[in-house]
Amino acid sequence: MTIEPLLKYMSNYIDLTSDEVVFLESKITVRKYLKGQYIVQQGDICKFSCFVLSGCTKTFYMDGEGQEHILMFSIEDWWTSDMGSFITQTPADFNIQCLENSELVMFSYDIIEDLYREIPKLERFFRQIIEKAFVASQKRIVRNFSLSAKDQYLYFRDQYPLIEQRIPQYMIASYLGITKEFLSKIKSQLILEQ
Amino acid sequence: MTIEPLLKYMSNYIDLTSDEVVFLESKITVRKYLKGQYIVQQGDICKFSCFVLSGCTKTFYMDGEGQEHILMFSIEDWWTSDMGSFITQTPADFNIQCLENSELVMFSYDIIEDLYREIPKLERFFRQIIEKAFVASQKRIVRNFSLSAKDQYLYFRDQYPLIEQRIPQYMIASYLGITKEFLSKIKSQLILEQ
DNA sequence: AATAAATGTTAATCTAGTTTAATATTATTT
DNA sequence: AAATAATATTAAACTAGATTAACATTTATT
């Protein structure tokens, strides 16, 4: 697979010359992962910021009791990384694991400064996508505070219908911050209602 | 008050020449607000990204039932804005109100592109601070999921001892996503414990 | 086709945090 | 100093969601 989807995605934010595309391609790598493989493990230094060409990943955190808390899913045209670990090069809080065979574009920490130096527009590009990610994260906090579990599920189903079909229920429950049993109850309630 | 605290803050990320500082100063404004005044109101277009020189603000959301949910407090050397509204120039989800008389450096939406064009380093600067804000936001989601209300309060008290003293308890409860009554209960429990 | 592994459901019991409502304390204004 | 407004506490009754445990269904493996 080519990095075409990445270039198309980037063209929504910045215009790259063909020279710049060549330079970019010389600095990034495309890597395949199998279902179940880890891209980052809690405690590792996260070396890459990744763009998903195909497949699906989950980013999760293991708490003291061995409970898994899913922070996000990433599918085609999304990013995945432990940003905190990546920018400071300190041990990661999160695990990132493939839920399907996946292909990722890898932006290594070691080359990203070269990219910014050579193509300053990329600084703008990453500023803009991280702004969006921050806004999405704030909105999620608001939903966590102001919506019931049922309404959060309805919102998720509404916003990410494609993700819901690709992922087991118990992971969606974890993403929503509720137990799989309670999500099951919510779903049976919803069936009775309509 | 001068913008000295802002320049010092920026020097942690980028080096500006004195010409660049002059240009920056020509584009930003410093504005005073009184306690109680709003910087942004839900539904407005957020025109500014603000750096706090002095004082304190709260960013909050009013839900359908008229319940106030506080997302963040901003004190000296912090930023405040409805980022979602600012970057897309669409109606704000949040209110930002001063809890004390405050002085803010105002980065207007209308001039920020001029700043990026004239001083590309600023693109880097804002990329880096928004990266940090995103990481902090993700970590907050994790805490919401994995800590009890009591542990979240202890974390807050530990991380922001200065903020706790400046702000009424009921606002801290709102920030933590619990009722003021329950926070009161947690505090009395903590007193019994030690 | 049979077995095992992964995923999903149901129901009873339990608990962290909410709601309501009354009262106490502290700060502000006259 | 008194009165008012703002903030904080306490306690009883309640509820959304967790826990536990047994069972059902679907998917993958041999």
mmCIF file with all atom_site columns, all heavy atoms in Angstrom, chain C residues 9-18:
data_model
loop_
_atom_site.group_PDB
_atom_site.id
_atom_site.type_symbol
_atom_site.label_atom_id
_atom_site.label_alt_id
_atom_site.label_comp_id
_atom_site.label_asym_id
_atom_site.label_entity_id
_atom_site.label_seq_id
_atom_site.pdbx_PDB_ins_code
_atom_site.Cartn_x
_atom_site.Cartn_y
_atom_site.Cartn_z
_atom_site.occupancy
_atom_site.B_iso_or_equiv
_atom_site.pdbx_formal_charge
_atom_site.auth_seq_id
_atom_site.auth_comp_id
_atom_site.auth_asym_id
_atom_site.auth_atom_id
_atom_site.pdbx_PDB_model_num
ATOM 1   P P     . DT C 1 9  ? -25.430 -8.765  24.179 1.00 0.00 ? 9  DT C P     1
ATOM 2   O OP1   . DT C 1 9  ? -26.545 -8.522  23.233 1.00 0.00 ? 9  DT C OP1   1
ATOM 3   O OP2   . DT C 1 9  ? -24.726 -7.640  24.827 1.00 0.00 ? 9  DT C OP2   1
ATOM 4   O "O5'" . DT C 1 9  ? -25.980 -9.727  25.315 1.00 0.00 ? 9  DT C "O5'" 1
ATOM 5   C "C5'" . DT C 1 9  ? -26.761 -10.863 24.952 1.00 0.00 ? 9  DT C "C5'" 1
ATOM 6   C "C4'" . DT C 1 9  ? -27.326 -11.490 26.197 1.00 0.00 ? 9  DT C "C4'" 1
ATOM 7   O "O4'" . DT C 1 9  ? -26.242 -11.937 27.036 1.00 0.00 ? 9  DT C "O4'" 1
ATOM 8   C "C3'" . DT C 1 9  ? -28.178 -10.570 27.064 1.00 0.00 ? 9  DT C "C3'" 1
ATOM 9   O "O3'" . DT C 1 9  ? -29.479 -11.145 27.109 1.00 0.00 ? 9  DT C "O3'" 1
ATOM 10  C "C2'" . DT C 1 9  ? -27.480 -10.543 28.432 1.00 0.00 ? 9  DT C "C2'" 1
ATOM 11  C "C1'" . DT C 1 9  ? -26.629 -11.801 28.395 1.00 0.00 ? 9  DT C "C1'" 1
ATOM 12  N N1    . DT C 1 9  ? -25.359 -11.785 29.166 1.00 0.00 ? 9  DT C N1    1
ATOM 13  C C2    . DT C 1 9  ? -25.214 -12.675 30.206 1.00 0.00 ? 9  DT C C2    1
ATOM 14  O O2    . DT C 1 9  ? -26.066 -13.455 30.547 1.00 0.00 ? 9  DT C O2    1
ATOM 15  N N3    . DT C 1 9  ? -23.990 -12.597 30.846 1.00 0.00 ? 9  DT C N3    1
ATOM 16  C C4    . DT C 1 9  ? -22.940 -11.746 30.553 1.00 0.00 ? 9  DT C C4    1
ATOM 17  O O4    . DT C 1 9  ? -21.895 -11.787 31.196 1.00 0.00 ? 9  DT C O4    1
ATOM 18  C C5    . DT C 1 9  ? -23.164 -10.851 29.445 1.00 0.00 ? 9  DT C C5    1
ATOM 19  C C7    . DT C 1 9  ? -22.093 -9.899  29.035 1.00 0.00 ? 9  DT C C7    1
ATOM 20  C C6    . DT C 1 9  ? -24.349 -10.904 28.815 1.00 0.00 ? 9  DT C C6    1
ATOM 21  P P     . DT C 1 10 ? -30.750 -10.397 27.690 1.00 0.00 ? 10 DT C P     1
ATOM 22  O OP1   . DT C 1 10 ? -31.919 -10.873 26.925 1.00 0.00 ? 10 DT C OP1   1
ATOM 23  O OP2   . DT C 1 10 ? -30.421 -8.958  27.775 1.00 0.00 ? 10 DT C OP2   1
ATOM 24  O "O5'" . DT C 1 10 ? -30.876 -10.950 29.187 1.00 0.00 ? 10 DT C "O5'" 1
ATOM 25  C "C5'" . DT C 1 10 ? -30.848 -12.357 29.418 1.00 0.00 ? 10 DT C "C5'" 1
ATOM 26  C "C4'" . DT C 1 10 ? -30.760 -12.609 30.907 1.00 0.00 ? 10 DT C "C4'" 1
ATOM 27  O "O4'" . DT C 1 10 ? -29.390 -12.525 31.336 1.00 0.00 ? 10 DT C "O4'" 1
ATOM 28  C "C3'" . DT C 1 10 ? -31.549 -11.621 31.772 1.00 0.00 ? 10 DT C "C3'" 1
ATOM 29  O "O3'" . DT C 1 10 ? -32.518 -12.360 32.496 1.00 0.00 ? 10 DT C "O3'" 1
ATOM 30  C "C2'" . DT C 1 10 ? -30.505 -10.978 32.679 1.00 0.00 ? 10 DT C "C2'" 1
ATOM 31  C "C1'" . DT C 1 10 ? -29.368 -11.985 32.637 1.00 0.00 ? 10 DT C "C1'" 1
ATOM 32  N N1    . DT C 1 10 ? -27.990 -11.462 32.802 1.00 0.00 ? 10 DT C N1    1
ATOM 33  C C2    . DT C 1 10 ? -27.125 -12.107 33.670 1.00 0.00 ? 10 DT C C2    1
ATOM 34  O O2    . DT C 1 10 ? -27.441 -13.083 34.319 1.00 0.00 ? 10 DT C O2    1
ATOM 35  N N3    . DT C 1 10 ? -25.873 -11.553 33.749 1.00 0.00 ? 10 DT C N3    1
ATOM 36  C C4    . DT C 1 10 ? -25.411 -10.448 33.066 1.00 0.00 ? 10 DT C C4    1
ATOM 37  O O4    . DT C 1 10 ? -24.265 -10.055 33.227 1.00 0.00 ? 10 DT C O4    1
ATOM 38  C C5    . DT C 1 10 ? -26.362 -9.815  32.187 1.00 0.00 ? 10 DT C C5    1
ATOM 39  C C7    . DT C 1 10 ? -25.961 -8.608  31.417 1.00 0.00 ? 10 DT C C7    1
ATOM 40  C C6    . DT C 1 10 ? -27.592 -10.341 32.093 1.00 0.00 ? 10 DT C C6    1
ATOM 41  P P     . DA C 1 11 ? -33.712 -11.669 33.325 1.00 0.00 ? 11 DA C P     1
ATOM 42  O OP1   . DA C 1 11 ? -34.925 -12.503 33.113 1.00 0.00 ? 11 DA C OP1   1
ATOM 43  O OP2   . DA C 1 11 ? -33.745 -10.205 33.042 1.00 0.00 ? 11 DA C OP2   1
ATOM 44  O "O5'" . DA C 1 11 ? -33.209 -11.855 34.828 1.00 0.00 ? 11 DA C "O5'" 1
ATOM 45  C "C5'" . DA C 1 11 ? -32.561 -13.058 35.242 1.00 0.00 ? 11 DA C "C5'" 1
ATOM 46  C "C4'" . DA C 1 11 ? -31.985 -12.846 36.630 1.00 0.00 ? 11 DA C "C4'" 1
ATOM 47  O "O4'" . DA C 1 11 ? -30.592 -12.447 36.537 1.00 0.00 ? 11 DA C "O4'" 1
ATOM 48  C "C3'" . DA C 1 11 ? -32.674 -11.742 37.442 1.00 0.00 ? 11 DA C "C3'" 1
ATOM 49  O "O3'" . DA C 1 11 ? -32.742 -12.161 38.794 1.00 0.00 ? 11 DA C "O3'" 1
ATOM 50  C "C2'" . DA C 1 11 ? -31.732 -10.567 37.294 1.00 0.00 ? 11 DA C "C2'" 1
ATOM 51  C "C1'" . DA C 1 11 ? -30.399 -11.299 37.353 1.00 0.00 ? 11 DA C "C1'" 1
ATOM 52  N N9    . DA C 1 11 ? -29.258 -10.552 36.845 1.00 0.00 ? 11 DA C N9    1
ATOM 53  C C8    . DA C 1 11 ? -29.233 -9.589  35.862 1.00 0.00 ? 11 DA C C8    1
ATOM 54  N N7    . DA C 1 11 ? -28.042 -9.093  35.631 1.00 0.00 ? 11 DA C N7    1
ATOM 55  C C5    . DA C 1 11 ? -27.223 -9.781  36.523 1.00 0.00 ? 11 DA C C5    1
ATOM 56  C C6    . DA C 1 11 ? -25.844 -9.718  36.777 1.00 0.00 ? 11 DA C C6    1
ATOM 57  N N6    . DA C 1 11 ? -25.004 -8.898  36.136 1.00 0.00 ? 11 DA C N6    1
ATOM 58  N N1    . DA C 1 11 ? -25.346 -10.528 37.740 1.00 0.00 ? 11 DA C N1    1
ATOM 59  C C2    . DA C 1 11 ? -26.188 -11.344 38.386 1.00 0.00 ? 11 DA C C2    1
ATOM 60  N N3    . DA C 1 11 ? -27.497 -11.505 38.225 1.00 0.00 ? 11 DA C N3    1
ATOM 61  C C4    . DA C 1 11 ? -27.959 -10.678 37.270 1.00 0.00 ? 11 DA C C4    1
ATOM 62  P P     . DA C 1 12 ? -33.671 -11.482 39.877 1.00 0.00 ? 12 DA C P     1
ATOM 63  O OP1   . DA C 1 12 ? -34.860 -12.346 40.034 1.00 0.00 ? 12 DA C OP1   1
ATOM 64  O OP2   . DA C 1 12 ? -33.840 -10.042 39.561 1.00 0.00 ? 12 DA C OP2   1
ATOM 65  O "O5'" . DA C 1 12 ? -32.765 -11.611 41.185 1.00 0.00 ? 12 DA C "O5'" 1
ATOM 66  C "C5'" . DA C 1 12 ? -31.976 -12.794 41.398 1.00 0.00 ? 12 DA C "C5'" 1
ATOM 67  C "C4'" . DA C 1 12 ? -30.889 -12.468 42.405 1.00 0.00 ? 12 DA C "C4'" 1
ATOM 68  O "O4'" . DA C 1 12 ? -29.787 -11.823 41.712 1.00 0.00 ? 12 DA C "O4'" 1
ATOM 69  C "C3'" . DA C 1 12 ? -31.331 -11.510 43.519 1.00 0.00 ? 12 DA C "C3'" 1
ATOM 70  O "O3'" . DA C 1 12 ? -30.795 -11.938 44.761 1.00 0.00 ? 12 DA C "O3'" 1
ATOM 71  C "C2'" . DA C 1 12 ? -30.773 -10.165 43.078 1.00 0.00 ? 12 DA C "C2'" 1
ATOM 72  C "C1'" . DA C 1 12 ? -29.495 -10.581 42.338 1.00 0.00 ? 12 DA C "C1'" 1
ATOM 73  N N9    . DA C 1 12 ? -29.113 -9.639  41.283 1.00 0.00 ? 12 DA C N9    1
ATOM 74  C C8    . DA C 1 12 ? -29.939 -8.983  40.394 1.00 0.00 ? 12 DA C C8    1
ATOM 75  N N7    . DA C 1 12 ? -29.300 -8.182  39.566 1.00 0.00 ? 12 DA C N7    1
ATOM 76  C C5    . DA C 1 12 ? -27.970 -8.332  39.931 1.00 0.00 ? 12 DA C C5    1
ATOM 77  C C6    . DA C 1 12 ? -26.794 -7.754  39.435 1.00 0.00 ? 12 DA C C6    1
ATOM 78  N N6    . DA C 1 12 ? -26.758 -6.883  38.425 1.00 0.00 ? 12 DA C N6    1
ATOM 79  N N1    . DA C 1 12 ? -25.631 -8.098  40.028 1.00 0.00 ? 12 DA C N1    1
ATOM 80  C C2    . DA C 1 12 ? -25.652 -8.976  41.047 1.00 0.00 ? 12 DA C C2    1
ATOM 81  N N3    . DA C 1 12 ? -26.699 -9.591  41.596 1.00 0.00 ? 12 DA C N3    1
ATOM 82  C C4    . DA C 1 12 ? -27.836 -9.218  40.985 1.00 0.00 ? 12 DA C C4    1
ATOM 83  P P     . DT C 1 13 ? -31.033 -11.068 46.077 1.00 0.00 ? 13 DT C P     1
ATOM 84  O OP1   . DT C 1 13 ? -31.112 -12.032 47.191 1.00 0.00 ? 13 DT C OP1   1
ATOM 85  O OP2   . DT C 1 13 ? -32.092 -10.070 45.822 1.00 0.00 ? 13 DT C OP2   1
ATOM 86  O "O5'" . DT C 1 13 ? -29.651 -10.272 46.212 1.00 0.00 ? 13 DT C "O5'" 1
ATOM 87  C "C5'" . DT C 1 13 ? -28.420 -11.021 46.279 1.00 0.00 ? 13 DT C "C5'" 1
ATOM 88  C "C4'" . DT C 1 13 ? -27.267 -10.037 46.373 1.00 0.00 ? 13 DT C "C4'" 1
ATOM 89  O "O4'" . DT C 1 13 ? -27.148 -9.293  45.133 1.00 0.00 ? 13 DT C "O4'" 1
ATOM 90  C "C3'" . DT C 1 13 ? -27.416 -9.005  47.491 1.00 0.00 ? 13 DT C "C3'" 1
ATOM 91  O "O3'" . DT C 1 13 ? -26.182 -8.959  48.183 1.00 0.00 ? 13 DT C "O3'" 1
ATOM 92  C "C2'" . DT C 1 13 ? -27.720 -7.715  46.742 1.00 0.00 ? 13 DT C "C2'" 1
ATOM 93  C "C1'" . DT C 1 13 ? -26.930 -7.934  45.462 1.00 0.00 ? 13 DT C "C1'" 1
ATOM 94  N N1    . DT C 1 13 ? -27.323 -7.123  44.278 1.00 0.00 ? 13 DT C N1    1
ATOM 95  C C2    . DT C 1 13 ? -26.321 -6.515  43.547 1.00 0.00 ? 13 DT C C2    1
ATOM 96  O O2    . DT C 1 13 ? -25.146 -6.610  43.823 1.00 0.00 ? 13 DT C O2    1
ATOM 97  N N3    . DT C 1 13 ? -26.763 -5.784  42.465 1.00 0.00 ? 13 DT C N3    1
ATOM 98  C C4    . DT C 1 13 ? -28.071 -5.603  42.059 1.00 0.00 ? 13 DT C C4    1
ATOM 99  O O4    . DT C 1 13 ? -28.331 -4.919  41.082 1.00 0.00 ? 13 DT C O4    1
ATOM 100 C C5    . DT C 1 13 ? -29.069 -6.263  42.864 1.00 0.00 ? 13 DT C C5    1
ATOM 101 C C7    . DT C 1 13 ? -30.515 -6.120  42.514 1.00 0.00 ? 13 DT C C7    1
ATOM 102 C C6    . DT C 1 13 ? -28.654 -6.979  43.928 1.00 0.00 ? 13 DT C C6    1
ATOM 103 P P     . DC C 1 14 ? -25.953 -8.039  49.469 1.00 0.00 ? 14 DC C P     1
ATOM 104 O OP1   . DC C 1 14 ? -25.116 -8.804  50.412 1.00 0.00 ? 14 DC C OP1   1
ATOM 105 O OP2   . DC C 1 14 ? -27.254 -7.450  49.865 1.00 0.00 ? 14 DC C OP2   1
ATOM 106 O "O5'" . DC C 1 14 ? -25.036 -6.869  48.879 1.00 0.00 ? 14 DC C "O5'" 1
ATOM 107 C "C5'" . DC C 1 14 ? -23.825 -7.224  48.194 1.00 0.00 ? 14 DC C "C5'" 1
ATOM 108 C "C4'" . DC C 1 14 ? -23.235 -5.968  47.580 1.00 0.00 ? 14 DC C "C4'" 1
ATOM 109 O "O4'" . DC C 1 14 ? -24.106 -5.496  46.527 1.00 0.00 ? 14 DC C "O4'" 1
ATOM 110 C "C3'" . DC C 1 14 ? -23.082 -4.802  48.566 1.00 0.00 ? 14 DC C "C3'" 1
ATOM 111 O "O3'" . DC C 1 14 ? -21.742 -4.361  48.460 1.00 0.00 ? 14 DC C "O3'" 1
ATOM 112 C "C2'" . DC C 1 14 ? -24.097 -3.775  48.066 1.00 0.00 ? 14 DC C "C2'" 1
ATOM 113 C "C1'" . DC C 1 14 ? -24.133 -4.087  46.584 1.00 0.00 ? 14 DC C "C1'" 1
ATOM 114 N N1    . DC C 1 14 ? -25.330 -3.644  45.809 1.00 0.00 ? 14 DC C N1    1
ATOM 115 C C2    . DC C 1 14 ? -25.119 -2.890  44.646 1.00 0.00 ? 14 DC C C2    1
ATOM 116 O O2    . DC C 1 14 ? -23.959 -2.608  44.314 1.00 0.00 ? 14 DC C O2    1
ATOM 117 N N3    . DC C 1 14 ? -26.200 -2.498  43.921 1.00 0.00 ? 14 DC C N3    1
ATOM 118 C C4    . DC C 1 14 ? -27.433 -2.826  44.315 1.00 0.00 ? 14 DC C C4    1
ATOM 119 N N4    . DC C 1 14 ? -28.448 -2.411  43.558 1.00 0.00 ? 14 DC C N4    1
ATOM 120 C C5    . DC C 1 14 ? -27.672 -3.603  45.497 1.00 0.00 ? 14 DC C C5    1
ATOM 121 C C6    . DC C 1 14 ? -26.601 -3.980  46.214 1.00 0.00 ? 14 DC C C6    1
ATOM 122 P P     . DT C 1 15 ? -21.092 -3.423  49.602 1.00 0.00 ? 15 DT C P     1
ATOM 123 O OP1   . DT C 1 15 ? -19.774 -3.980  49.943 1.00 0.00 ? 15 DT C OP1   1
ATOM 124 O OP2   . DT C 1 15 ? -22.139 -3.152  50.628 1.00 0.00 ? 15 DT C OP2   1
ATOM 125 O "O5'" . DT C 1 15 ? -20.841 -2.059  48.808 1.00 0.00 ? 15 DT C "O5'" 1
ATOM 126 C "C5'" . DT C 1 15 ? -20.105 -2.087  47.592 1.00 0.00 ? 15 DT C "C5'" 1
ATOM 127 C "C4'" . DT C 1 15 ? -20.141 -0.701  46.990 1.00 0.00 ? 15 DT C "C4'" 1
ATOM 128 O "O4'" . DT C 1 15 ? -21.396 -0.504  46.287 1.00 0.00 ? 15 DT C "O4'" 1
ATOM 129 C "C3'" . DT C 1 15 ? -20.072 0.433   48.017 1.00 0.00 ? 15 DT C "C3'" 1
ATOM 130 O "O3'" . DT C 1 15 ? -19.341 1.472   47.432 1.00 0.00 ? 15 DT C "O3'" 1
ATOM 131 C "C2'" . DT C 1 15 ? -21.516 0.850   48.180 1.00 0.00 ? 15 DT C "C2'" 1
ATOM 132 C "C1'" . DT C 1 15 ? -21.966 0.710   46.730 1.00 0.00 ? 15 DT C "C1'" 1
ATOM 133 N N1    . DT C 1 15 ? -23.427 0.621   46.471 1.00 0.00 ? 15 DT C N1    1
ATOM 134 C C2    . DT C 1 15 ? -23.910 1.162   45.300 1.00 0.00 ? 15 DT C C2    1
ATOM 135 O O2    . DT C 1 15 ? -23.193 1.690   44.475 1.00 0.00 ? 15 DT C O2    1
ATOM 136 N N3    . DT C 1 15 ? -25.261 1.039   45.126 1.00 0.00 ? 15 DT C N3    1
ATOM 137 C C4    . DT C 1 15 ? -26.165 0.462   45.990 1.00 0.00 ? 15 DT C C4    1
ATOM 138 O O4    . DT C 1 15 ? -27.361 0.427   45.718 1.00 0.00 ? 15 DT C O4    1
ATOM 139 C C5    . DT C 1 15 ? -25.597 -0.089  47.206 1.00 0.00 ? 15 DT C C5    1
ATOM 140 C C7    . DT C 1 15 ? -26.483 -0.733  48.214 1.00 0.00 ? 15 DT C C7    1
ATOM 141 C C6    . DT C 1 15 ? -24.268 0.025   47.389 1.00 0.00 ? 15 DT C C6    1
ATOM 142 P P     . DA C 1 16 ? -18.071 2.152   48.126 1.00 0.00 ? 16 DA C P     1
ATOM 143 O OP1   . DA C 1 16 ? -16.987 1.153   48.140 1.00 0.00 ? 16 DA C OP1   1
ATOM 144 O OP2   . DA C 1 16 ? -18.513 2.826   49.368 1.00 0.00 ? 16 DA C OP2   1
ATOM 145 O "O5'" . DA C 1 16 ? -17.691 3.254   47.035 1.00 0.00 ? 16 DA C "O5'" 1
ATOM 146 C "C5'" . DA C 1 16 ? -17.647 2.895   45.656 1.00 0.00 ? 16 DA C "C5'" 1
ATOM 147 C "C4'" . DA C 1 16 ? -18.227 4.026   44.830 1.00 0.00 ? 16 DA C "C4'" 1
ATOM 148 O "O4'" . DA C 1 16 ? -19.672 3.980   44.870 1.00 0.00 ? 16 DA C "O4'" 1
ATOM 149 C "C3'" . DA C 1 16 ? -17.836 5.416   45.277 1.00 0.00 ? 16 DA C "C3'" 1
ATOM 150 O "O3'" . DA C 1 16 ? -17.602 6.163   44.092 1.00 0.00 ? 16 DA C "O3'" 1
ATOM 151 C "C2'" . DA C 1 16 ? -19.066 5.918   46.062 1.00 0.00 ? 16 DA C "C2'" 1
ATOM 152 C "C1'" . DA C 1 16 ? -20.197 5.218   45.337 1.00 0.00 ? 16 DA C "C1'" 1
ATOM 153 N N9    . DA C 1 16 ? -21.353 4.842   46.159 1.00 0.00 ? 16 DA C N9    1
ATOM 154 C C8    . DA C 1 16 ? -21.347 4.384   47.455 1.00 0.00 ? 16 DA C C8    1
ATOM 155 N N7    . DA C 1 16 ? -22.553 4.089   47.921 1.00 0.00 ? 16 DA C N7    1
ATOM 156 C C5    . DA C 1 16 ? -23.396 4.371   46.856 1.00 0.00 ? 16 DA C C5    1
ATOM 157 C C6    . DA C 1 16 ? -24.797 4.271   46.715 1.00 0.00 ? 16 DA C C6    1
ATOM 158 N N6    . DA C 1 16 ? -25.621 3.849   47.666 1.00 0.00 ? 16 DA C N6    1
ATOM 159 N N1    . DA C 1 16 ? -25.326 4.642   45.528 1.00 0.00 ? 16 DA C N1    1
ATOM 160 C C2    . DA C 1 16 ? -24.506 5.059   44.555 1.00 0.00 ? 16 DA C C2    1
ATOM 161 N N3    . DA C 1 16 ? -23.175 5.193   44.571 1.00 0.00 ? 16 DA C N3    1
ATOM 162 C C4    . DA C 1 16 ? -22.682 4.834   45.769 1.00 0.00 ? 16 DA C C4    1
ATOM 163 P P     . DG C 1 17 ? -17.041 7.639   44.094 1.00 0.00 ? 17 DG C P     1
ATOM 164 O OP1   . DG C 1 17 ? -16.271 7.834   42.858 1.00 0.00 ? 17 DG C OP1   1
ATOM 165 O OP2   . DG C 1 17 ? -16.435 7.872   45.415 1.00 0.00 ? 17 DG C OP2   1
ATOM 166 O "O5'" . DG C 1 17 ? -18.383 8.504   43.979 1.00 0.00 ? 17 DG C "O5'" 1
ATOM 167 C "C5'" . DG C 1 17 ? -19.097 8.494   42.738 1.00 0.00 ? 17 DG C "C5'" 1
ATOM 168 C "C4'" . DG C 1 17 ? -20.467 9.065   42.965 1.00 0.00 ? 17 DG C "C4'" 1
ATOM 169 O "O4'" . DG C 1 17 ? -21.174 8.273   43.949 1.00 0.00 ? 17 DG C "O4'" 1
ATOM 170 C "C3'" . DG C 1 17 ? -20.517 10.513  43.474 1.00 0.00 ? 17 DG C "C3'" 1
ATOM 171 O "O3'" . DG C 1 17 ? -21.208 11.288  42.515 1.00 0.00 ? 17 DG C "O3'" 1
ATOM 172 C "C2'" . DG C 1 17 ? -21.215 10.398  44.806 1.00 0.00 ? 17 DG C "C2'" 1
ATOM 173 C "C1'" . DG C 1 17 ? -22.066 9.145   44.596 1.00 0.00 ? 17 DG C "C1'" 1
ATOM 174 N N9    . DG C 1 17 ? -22.558 8.545   45.831 1.00 0.00 ? 17 DG C N9    1
ATOM 175 C C8    . DG C 1 17 ? -21.839 8.209   46.956 1.00 0.00 ? 17 DG C C8    1
ATOM 176 N N7    . DG C 1 17 ? -22.585 7.710   47.919 1.00 0.00 ? 17 DG C N7    1
ATOM 177 C C5    . DG C 1 17 ? -23.870 7.721   47.388 1.00 0.00 ? 17 DG C C5    1
ATOM 178 C C6    . DG C 1 17 ? -25.103 7.304   47.955 1.00 0.00 ? 17 DG C C6    1
ATOM 179 O O6    . DG C 1 17 ? -25.312 6.835   49.082 1.00 0.00 ? 17 DG C O6    1
ATOM 180 N N1    . DG C 1 17 ? -26.178 7.485   47.068 1.00 0.00 ? 17 DG C N1    1
ATOM 181 C C2    . DG C 1 17 ? -26.061 8.000   45.796 1.00 0.00 ? 17 DG C C2    1
ATOM 182 N N2    . DG C 1 17 ? -27.184 8.101   45.091 1.00 0.00 ? 17 DG C N2    1
ATOM 183 N N3    . DG C 1 17 ? -24.920 8.389   45.247 1.00 0.00 ? 17 DG C N3    1
ATOM 184 C C4    . DG C 1 17 ? -23.869 8.223   46.097 1.00 0.00 ? 17 DG C C4    1
ATOM 185 P P     . DT C 1 18 ? -21.840 12.712  42.746 1.00 0.00 ? 18 DT C P     1
ATOM 186 O OP1   . DT C 1 18 ? -21.615 13.451  41.500 1.00 0.00 ? 18 DT C OP1   1
ATOM 187 O OP2   . DT C 1 18 ? -21.369 13.250  44.038 1.00 0.00 ? 18 DT C OP2   1
ATOM 188 O "O5'" . DT C 1 18 ? -23.404 12.418  42.876 1.00 0.00 ? 18 DT C "O5'" 1
ATOM 189 C "C5'" . DT C 1 18 ? -24.067 11.729  41.814 1.00 0.00 ? 18 DT C "C5'" 1
ATOM 190 C "C4'" . DT C 1 18 ? -25.571 11.834  41.987 1.00 0.00 ? 18 DT C "C4'" 1
ATOM 191 O "O4'" . DT C 1 18 ? -25.974 11.143  43.200 1.00 0.00 ? 18 DT C "O4'" 1
ATOM 192 C "C3'" . DT C 1 18 ? -26.105 13.253  42.117 1.00 0.00 ? 18 DT C "C3'" 1
ATOM 193 O "O3'" . DT C 1 18 ? -27.301 13.341  41.341 1.00 0.00 ? 18 DT C "O3'" 1
ATOM 194 C "C2'" . DT C 1 18 ? -26.369 13.425  43.612 1.00 0.00 ? 18 DT C "C2'" 1
ATOM 195 C "C1'" . DT C 1 18 ? -26.728 12.004  44.036 1.00 0.00 ? 18 DT C "C1'" 1
ATOM 196 N N1    . DT C 1 18 ? -26.375 11.638  45.436 1.00 0.00 ? 18 DT C N1    1
ATOM 197 C C2    . DT C 1 18 ? -27.365 11.164  46.271 1.00 0.00 ? 18 DT C C2    1
ATOM 198 O O2    . DT C 1 18 ? -28.525 11.049  45.937 1.00 0.00 ? 18 DT C O2    1
ATOM 199 N N3    . DT C 1 18 ? -26.950 10.825  47.537 1.00 0.00 ? 18 DT C N3    1
ATOM 200 C C4    . DT C 1 18 ? -25.671 10.905  48.035 1.00 0.00 ? 18 DT C C4    1
ATOM 201 O O4    . DT C 1 18 ? -25.418 10.564  49.188 1.00 0.00 ? 18 DT C O4    1
ATOM 202 C C5    . DT C 1 18 ? -24.675 11.408  47.110 1.00 0.00 ? 18 DT C C5    1
ATOM 203 C C7    . DT C 1 18 ? -23.259 11.528  47.546 1.00 0.00 ? 18 DT C C7    1
ATOM 204 C C6    . DT C 1 18 ? -25.068 11.745  45.873 1.00 0.00 ? 18 DT C C6    1
#
